[in-house]
Amino acid sequence: MNQIDMYMKKKYRMEVYEDYEEGGFTVSFPELRGCISCGETLEEAYSNAIDAKRCWIKAALEEGVKIPEPRELSDYSGQFKLRIPKDLHRTLVEQAKEEGISMNQYCTYLLTKAAKM
């Protein structure tokens, strides 16, 4: 197995964004700085992103650029403790009930939405 194939098998995080203004989708690999691609459909965007990842890795190897290792999810527990004001707690509980989901699911939704901005 050559170096490019070795890096291609590593599980780098892929972020997909829908482009509401221009249409289509943009895909990036945050750990591979500047590695970004796009496509009209999700399938095309994914295929283009894999090509972009391969080209990025090849160029980095040719230029002697250090290729970072992917960050492991096992480094994160998925849990953290957060103290919030009682009135905010009440609001979140009420909004979660309106949505028909648990407060934990609702807060996860809100955090995910905010983190992708």
Side-chain angles (χ1 to χ4, degrees), residues 7-62:
Y7 280 106
M8 288 298 293
K9 288 184 184 248
K10 294 186 182 216
K11 296 180 181 181
Y12 289 98
R13 184 168 53 101
M14 179 187 290
E15 292 183 349
V16 180
Y17 301 96
E18 187 169 2
D19 188 339
Y20 296 106
E21 291 180 19
E22 300 288 326
F25 299 87
T26 300
V27 182
S28 67
F29 294 91
E31 295 154 320
L32 305 176
R33 189 182 263 297
C35 184
I36 188 168
S37 188
C38 60
E40 291 298 316
T41 65
L42 277 173
E43 294 79 13
E44 181 183 5
Y46 176 79
S47 178
N48 291 345
I50 298 305
D51 288 342
K53 179 182 172 186
R54 180 175 291 283
C55 290
W56 191 98
I57 291 167
K58 182 179 179 197
L61 289 169
E62 288 172 356

